[in-house]
Amino acid sequence: MKDFAGKIAVITGGGTGMGRELARQLTAEGCSVAMCDVSASNMAATKTLCEADAPQGVRVTTHLADVSDLGQIKRFAAEAAAAQATDHVHLLFNNAGIGGGGSFVAGDVENWEKTFNVCWGGVYHCTRAFLPLLKAANEAHIINTSSVNGFWASIGPGIPHTAYAAAKFAVKGFTEALITDLAVNAPHIHCSVVMPGHIGTEIITN
């Protein structure tokens, strides 16, 4: 994809951190954005920042949705298409993530599963839900955010980090396998995995 002007992007976790910065940079280049988050106020702040620098005609729409819930993500996909007045999207940034679920052995089951279901399930649910809209575009790209913890399942000696690391390994493996799947079955859609190290976002608070 050579430029973003006139394109439509979907961003999960658009309320803060990397999602907010993605939205700001894309809209500044003339790309319309549909974002989801669990915080309406955070998304409103992102939208204000985007609209301050976006060229005329760029649409920024916000949608409340928990990426770990497939029903909410199906609703998000339908709402985003309607709000953007489109039958296709060009870019899907599976960016949403949370920390937590450190210990599988001694930790809380619900906390562990919540972390895993957001960090991995969100990628799966959103890719499933938005695939028809991506297939309907003339060119498209899926960008999945893994982590350096998708290479190394540790944040230091003696510190359990199982849910997040397991999820980020899953995101990396899924993306690498999906590259081949798309090349065979939908060659106009490309796919990348991003493996960031520490970035000063609100993920721990979230």
Side-chain angles (χ1 to χ4, degrees):
M1 196 170 292
K2 301 299 183 183
D3 63 75
F4 301 117
K7 302 295 195 302
I8 302 170
V10 172
I11 302 172
T12 67
T16 57
M18 289 171 55
R20 174 176 287 178
E21 190 59 28
L22 282 167
R24 292 183 66 181
Q25 292 191 28
L26 286 165
T27 53
E29 294 195 31
C31 181
S32 292
V33 166
M35 75 183 81
C36 81
D37 202 283
V38 294
S39 170
S41 60
N42 286 345
M43 285 192 291
T46 299
K47 183 175 181 178
T48 298
L49 291 168
C50 290
E51 291 179 339
D53 297 321
Q56 188 173 5
V58 169
R59 296 189 186 198
V60 182
T61 61
T62 61
H63 309 268
L64 275 173
D66 178 346
V67 297
S68 68
D69 186 314
L70 179 57
Q72 292 187 40
I73 291 307
K74 287 180 176 179
R75 189 195 70 231
F76 169 41
E79 288 180 356
Q84 293 284 337
T86 187
D87 63 356
H88 63 275
V89 298
H90 302 94
L91 294 153
L92 171 61
F93 290 87
N94 285 315
N95 163 77
I98 59 172
S103 175
F104 183 85
V105 177
D108 178 76
V109 172
E110 288 75 18
N111 188 18
W112 200 100
E113 291 185 350
K114 178 64 175 179
T115 300
F116 187 82
N117 290 338
V118 168
C119 293
W120 156 244
V123 173
Y124 174 75
H125 292 156
C126 291
T127 304
R128 278 286 187 204
F130 283 94
L131 187 59
L133 292 169
L134 292 161
K135 289 172 71 175
N138 59 351
E139 61 174 339
H141 206 116
I142 301 166
I143 303 91
N144 295 328
T145 301
S146 179
S147 166
V148 68
N149 292 125
F151 286 123
W152 300 288
S154 173
I155 55 174
I159 304 174
H161 196 53
T162 57
Y164 186 84
K168 294 305 185 178
F169 267 79
V171 172
K172 178 178 181 288
F174 171 69
T175 308
E176 291 178 352
L178 188 60
I179 289 169
T180 300
D181 197 349
L182 292 169
V184 172
N185 294 299
H188 68 296
I189 306 176
H190 296 275
C191 191
S192 300
V193 62
V194 182
M195 311 289 289
H198 176 73
I199 298 174
T201 71
E202 295 89 343
I203 189 169
I204 300 300
T205 304
N206 292 343

